[in-house]
Amino acid sequence: MQNITGVRVVSAAAVVAAVVFGARGLVGTIWLAPWDLPNGLLLVATALAGLAGAVVLVAAVRARDRRALAFAVSVLAFALLWPAPGWATAVLLVVAQGALVAFGVLTVRNEDGVQRAVGWVVTVGASLWFVTALLSNAVLLTALPQEALGIAFSVPGLLQTVAYLAATVLVAVPLLRPVGRGVNALWASAEVR
């Protein structure tokens, strides 16, 4: 019983981290530009997600779960972006993106059905996040018209949101299993089908 509770706690921590960093992808995009979020709120959310990532990391190391380890590394690297010095932010961003791609690839290799499909969304989303973030820092953007620059700089954040929110679905599976069992029990006992 305690093991099941521990898995659910780790899953809840992973969900918190994935949702926070999924939402962080939208911060600074043209869609949220009218609402300037306070730095204090962003710092608290990042610290909370970083602590949740540390919980997942400890559990992943203990269980020798490579998939959870890849997710935890991604979350922790992204959490450390904010306080890191300028040169380290690029390295931490690549580590966060690469670890999220690894999480998606491990999901695709080891799961089936809906989880495998969502694993593909994570893999493709995180890969495109890496490519578009790289291109947004390249000289190629100078050729774009002024009107398109806002959208071009928002694409990496949008892909980050897609990748982390798809990862949320995958890390929430232990939390959703009891709900699925309850729905199946209700369906099996229903008189009208």
Side-chain angles (χ1 to χ4, degrees):
M1 182 72 100
Q2 188 176 7
N3 188 25
I4 293 171
T5 303
V7 167
R8 289 183 185 154
V9 167
V10 171
S11 178
V15 166
V16 167
V19 167
V20 166
F21 290 137
R24 274 299 293 268
L26 293 178
V27 174
T29 61
I30 60 171
W31 301 285
L32 286 183
W35 300 287
D36 191 22
L37 297 175
N39 279 340
L41 176 67
L42 296 175
L43 179 61
V44 168
T46 300
L48 178 67
L51 288 173
V55 168
V56 175
L57 179 68
V58 169
V61 168
R62 283 185 179 171
R64 295 187 177 149
D65 184 353
R66 294 184 319 170
R67 194 176 92 148
L69 182 65
F71 179 78
V73 167
S74 175
V75 168
L76 286 173
F78 199 77
L80 291 173
L81 276 174
W82 199 80
W87 60 269
T89 56
V91 172
L92 288 170
L93 182 61
V94 170
V95 168
Q97 294 164 333
L100 196 57
V101 169
F103 172 74
V105 168
L106 289 169
T107 301
V108 168
R109 287 182 56 203
N110 298 328
E111 302 296 332
D112 56 353
V114 174
Q115 288 187 41
R116 182 181 214 152
V118 176
W120 275 113
V121 172
V122 171
T123 303
V124 171
S127 299
L128 290 175
W129 174 30
F130 170 74
V131 170
T132 57
L134 189 64
L135 289 176
S136 68
N137 293 326
V139 181
L140 298 175
L141 289 179
T142 58
L144 291 176
Q146 186 68 29
E147 300 82 31
L149 281 178
I151 294 172
F153 281 116
S154 297
V155 169
L158 183 61
L159 290 168
Q160 173 191 336
T161 299
V162 168
Y164 273 117
L165 292 183
T168 303
V169 173
L170 293 172
V171 296
V173 168
L175 297 174
L176 299 175
R177 280 193 184 120
V179 174
R181 284 193 294 266
V183 168
N184 287 339
L186 285 174
W187 181 256
S189 66
E191 293 180 16
V192 179
R193 284 186 222 164

